[in-house]
Amino acid sequence: MSLVISALADRVVEPGPSDEGTLTQTLADLGRGKRALILGISGGAAPEAARRLFDLGFAPGVEVQMLRRAPLADPVVFRIVGYEVALRRTEARCILVSSGQ
């Protein structure tokens, strides 16, 4: 296992209630136009997938916005760090976010 993947393992977050009146959910649960802060990658993601998501900008503390879904609800397009990226819902379920209630 590489040093980068080991470092990413420290950023894995398990689902649960968050602080300061926010709701913890996955990125796949965001509604159109909604914004959220990324908490981390869930423990169910493969280390290689977690690394790729991190390389794409899905890092803890980064704001993400859901823009639109394809007609059959997969993939989903998100705006993150100034660009748009499409993720499958299975990938989006691996990213934990915190949004206001």
Side-chain angles (χ1 to χ4, degrees):
M1 192 151 71
S2 75
L3 292 174
V4 174
I5 292 175
S6 297
L8 284 175
D10 294 338
R11 296 174 185 232
V12 170
V13 182
E14 293 304 323
S18 59
D19 300 328
E20 301 172 12
T22 58
L23 179 66
T24 301
Q25 58 188 8
T26 67
L27 198 55
D29 299 327
L30 275 184
R32 187 175 188 176
K34 300 294 182 186
R35 297 175 186 264
L37 282 178
I38 296 175
L39 297 174
I41 309 296
S42 72
E48 298 81 15
R51 168 62 196 260
R52 183 66 181 142
L53 290 169
F54 186 81
D55 289 345
L56 287 170
F58 293 94
V62 175
E63 184 180 71
V64 63
Q65 179 183 17
M66 194 281 241
L67 297 178
R68 61 189 170 276
R69 294 185 198 280
L72 296 176
D74 204 24
V76 183
V77 180
F78 300 95
R79 176 172 291 130
I80 186 165
V81 196
Y83 71 96
E84 294 178 8
V85 62
L87 293 178
R88 292 182 185 108
R89 285 184 359 180
T90 56
E91 296 166 334
R93 283 189 199 111
C94 294
I95 302 170
L96 300 174
V97 297
S98 175
S99 63
Q101 292 182 343

